[in-house]
Amino acid sequence: MGRKFHLLTYGCQMNEYDSRVIASILTTAGYLETNTLETADIIIVNTCSVRENAENRALGRISELQGLKKANPNLLIAAVVCMAQNLG
């Protein structure tokens, strides 16, 4: 069974577009998209630091995901796009 990913997108239409591109790249690489956080091997949080509300929601969501990380130490949680650049 292939590795699974789940995308969480916050921000503008460009973030939605970027998430579709990320999903396409991962699918082409053999990953399967899942609608459930609990079955994901990779959770990608795609957001924008230009929109403060989107960034705050994404940061809050990442904090909430820590419980899943404790239950599954192999789970990868990644923040991408301009928020990742902004936070380093």
Side-chain angles (χ1 to χ4, degrees):
M1 193 162 202
R3 294 185 45 93
K4 296 179 183 176
F5 71 94
H6 183 85
L7 276 162
L8 298 168
T9 307
Y10 301 94
C12 66
Q13 289 178 337
M14 191 61 177
N15 293 102
E16 294 289 339
Y17 171 80
D18 289 341
S19 286
R20 289 193 302 275
V21 171
I22 292 166
S24 176
I25 291 168
L26 289 172
T27 301
T28 300
Y31 289 83
L32 303 171
E33 189 166 10
T34 180
N35 290 325
T36 10
L37 291 168
E38 295 76 18
T39 61
D41 299 297
I42 302 169
I43 298 172
I44 300 168
V45 181
N46 178 9
T47 192
C48 167
S49 63
V50 174
R51 296 179 182 235
E52 186 177 352
N53 186 43
E55 182 177 354
N56 289 339
R57 286 180 35 222
L59 289 171
R61 189 65 168 144
I62 290 168
S63 292
E64 293 171 6
L65 295 172
Q66 295 309 309
L68 289 175
K69 178 71 174 170
K70 286 180 183 175
N72 177 7
N74 294 320
L75 174 65
L76 175 64
I77 301 171
V80 296
V81 188
C82 63
M83 183 172 111
Q85 292 172 356
N86 185 40
L87 297 177

